[in-house]
Amino acid sequence: MGKALWCCLVFACLLIPLAVADWNILKQQTHDGLKISLKNYCESWRMNVELHNIREFQVVPEECIEYIGKYVKSTQYKVDSQRATDECLVYLSTSCNLKKDGLDAWIFDVDDTLLSTVPYYKNNLYGGKKLNVTSLEEWMSKGNAPALDHSLKLYNELKSRGVQIILVTARKEHLRSVTIDNLVKVGYYGWTKIVFRDPADELISVQQYKTDVRRQIVNYGYRIWGILGDQYSSIEGTPSPKRAFKLPNPMYYVA
Ligand SMILES: *[C@@H]1O[C@H](CO)[C@@H](O)[C@H](O)[C@H]1NC(C)=O
């Protein structure tokens, strides 16, 4: 046999298992006769995460790691985020009768709402690897998370309209000072209140913790006009805000 033929054989042996693996993933999706690509499959997975049809996922499906990585680095992710913050501004201008008595309030999440954790997840398969809290907190402690630009614009706009800004984060108390330094470094300052999880709050779900904080805020007399967050656990439950806006985040799920 010629050298070229050998090369072809070796090449085919290497490629066939890959092709079969891919085809198996897709075959599962074509039981109703619909032919779909891997991109169709992963786009649909991402969309259904955002629609809150897919919940409590532990990791991004292996076959979609590449797709999700591309998405969170893409212009589309920026455009999707900007649309969300633009809609906050539309709502603010058309539907909020601000009293300007120091009790108009807006709540923000921190991670993947004000600060981006994409640089961390980039080294962890964009959520395709099970979360290691220790290494995430080590990364957070460095205080190098970049701002999400459109969130910073909304933040400053709310501030200029005299809305009290309240940050409610699932980060723990021991990360308080590094988080504050990080926020200030990238341009966030002048908030009214920032709330971290204390050890007792770590025993309850994030959603329970965040609704407990909202209850206190309402009891102080604040009107919560809106929340911007990237997780349903930040915006669901009572007391509810008048409106809630969700930013895209297909990398992880917090219950
Ligand atoms: C989690 O991260 C820490 C710190 O980087 C590391 O020491 C530890 O081995 C990791 N644990 C697992 C299960 O990978």
Side-chain angles (χ1 to χ4, degrees):
M1 257 190 282
K3 208 172 174 187
L5 190 58
W6 268 113
C7 279
C8 281
L9 268 176
V10 170
F11 194 59
C13 288
L14 287 174
L15 277 186
I16 286 166
L18 286 177
V20 168
D22 251 3
W23 184 75
N24 279 342
I25 292 162
L26 296 179
K27 196 178 154 205
Q28 282 171 14
Q29 304 306 315
T30 57
H31 52 80
D32 61 354
L34 193 63
K35 288 251 193 306
I36 65 165
S37 67
L38 188 59
K39 185 165 177 284
N40 292 143
Y41 174 78
C42 295
E43 173 71 24
S44 158
W45 183 83
R46 186 183 75 76
M47 172 67 86
N48 279 280
V49 164
E50 298 305 349
L51 290 170
H52 214 195
N53 294 332
I54 294 171
R55 300 185 180 192
E56 317 250 344
F57 66 91
Q58 300 289 311
V59 289
V60 168
E62 195 182 344
E63 61 272 29
C64 296
I65 290 169
E66 193 188 337
Y67 172 86
I68 295 300
K70 270 189 195 151
Y71 173 72
V72 294
K73 287 182 290 182
S74 69
T75 302
Q76 189 64 56
Y77 171 60
K78 292 197 177 80
V79 172
D80 291 346
S81 304
Q82 183 174 21
R83 185 59 188 247
T85 56
D86 280 353
E87 292 298 328
C88 294
L89 290 171
V90 169
Y91 162 66
L92 204 64
S93 301
T94 59
S95 313
C96 295
N97 188 10
L98 299 178
K99 302 275 189 302
K100 302 204 186 276
D101 56 358
L103 292 172
D104 295 314
W106 191 282
I107 296 176
F108 284 98
D109 264 4
V110 174
D111 291 304
D112 296 297
T113 297
L114 298 184
L115 299 176
S116 175
T117 68
V118 171
Y120 172 79
Y121 280 95
K122 190 175 160 185
N123 294 321
N124 289 277
L125 304 178
Y126 297 100
K129 213 166 111 184
K130 204 160 178 293
L131 178 64
N132 179 334
V133 176
T134 313
S135 83
L136 176 62
E137 291 189 341
E138 276 173 9
W139 180 82
M140 286 171 169
S141 302
K142 295 190 185 117
N144 288 330
L148 281 137
D149 295 340
H150 306 299
S151 299
L152 181 55
K153 271 186 209 142
L154 172 65
Y155 180 101
N156 285 330
E157 183 61 32
L158 284 161
K159 211 164 68 173
S160 75
R161 293 188 195 203
V163 176
Q164 310 301 304
I165 293 168
I166 299 172
L167 312 187
V168 185
T169 176
R171 287 190 182 198
K172 297 171 198 155
E173 274 294 343
H174 70 90
L175 292 166
R176 178 181 284 268
S177 70
V178 287
T179 303
I180 290 175
D181 289 349
N182 195 158
L183 285 164
V184 171
K185 187 168 79 180
V186 298
Y188 298 101
Y189 53 89
W191 58 75
T192 301
K193 203 172 166 60
I194 182 164
V195 186
F196 291 82
R197 276 179 110 181
D198 66 34
D201 292 327
E202 287 169 35
L203 303 171
I204 56 175
S205 70
V206 170
Q207 182 172 324
Q208 184 65 53
Y209 151 70
K210 291 200 171 181
T211 52
D212 287 349
V213 172
R214 285 209 291 284
R215 193 165 305 108
Q216 285 171 20
I217 292 168
V218 169
N219 288 344
Y220 282 132
Y222 288 107
R223 289 174 294 278
I224 306 172
W225 288 102
I227 298 181
L228 181 67
D230 64 291
Q231 297 289 327
Y232 279 94
S233 53
S234 301
I235 60 186
E236 287 196 328
T238 51
S240 15
K242 293 190 201 304
R243 279 283 306 265
F245 296 85
K246 191 187 174 302
L247 287 169
N249 185 353
M251 298 184 298
Y252 58 88
Y253 186 93
V254 178

